[in-house]
């Protein structure tokens, strides 16, 4: 009985570790892409801005099926928030 309980505990730890590895891999692969697209969206060249925002949203649409909730939280704080802050600063500078 104890051995069976320990095996279940090991399985739970293994599943958690697999989730952490999956999230770490996703961050390692996707965050450089997302952050570079975010940076390009703030470029002075209008063509770069337009193209990068289009691609960014295409990537995020595909990510709906792949990214989990914790990854979306990081995307919101590290991808969308900088874009929104940049827009806010641009509007403040116009006034």
């Amino acid at each position: 009985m104890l051995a069976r309980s320990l095996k279940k505990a090991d399985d739970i730890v293994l599943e958690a570790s697999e989730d952490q590895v999956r999230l770490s891999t996703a961050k390692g692969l996707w965050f450089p892409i997302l952050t570079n697209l975010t940076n390009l969206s703030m470029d002075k060249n209008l063509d770069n801005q337009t193209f990068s925002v289009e691609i960014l949203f295409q990537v995020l649409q595909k990510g709906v099926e792949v990214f989990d909730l914790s990854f979306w939280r990081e995307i919101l704080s590290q991808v969308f928030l900088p874009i929104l802050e940049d827009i806010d600063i641009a509007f403040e500078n116009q006034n």
Side-chain angles (χ1 to χ4, degrees):
M1 183 71 160
L2 180 60
R4 193 178 305 176
S5 296
L6 290 175
K7 178 158 177 34
K8 286 182 183 180
D10 287 343
D11 290 343
I12 291 170
V13 169
L14 183 60
E15 286 178 26
S17 297
E18 288 174 1
D19 289 341
Q20 290 172 344
V21 168
R22 199 173 308 119
L23 177 60
S24 178
T25 301
K27 286 171 65 174
L29 294 173
W30 287 109
F31 260 95
I33 294 169
L34 296 173
T35 54
N36 282 320
L37 288 169
T38 301
N39 291 339
L40 280 172
S41 73
M42 298 177 217
D43 194 90
K44 294 188 186 306
N45 183 314
L46 185 59
D47 290 335
N48 288 347
Q49 290 177 4
T50 304
F51 183 73
S52 62
V53 169
E54 288 174 7
I55 298 301
L56 177 64
F57 281 101
Q58 288 176 14
V59 168
L60 293 175
Q61 284 177 333
K62 300 289 184 191
V64 167
E65 302 167 5
V66 179
F67 305 152
D68 65 3
L69 184 59
S70 63
F71 195 63
W72 276 109
R73 285 185 181 125
E74 292 195 39
I75 289 171
L76 289 173
S77 68
Q78 296 179 24
V79 175
F80 282 120
L81 190 58
I83 292 173
L84 295 174
E85 288 174 344
D86 191 57
I87 292 170
D88 186 47
I89 290 169
F91 278 115
E92 285 180 3
N93 288 339
Q94 285 181 351
N95 296 329

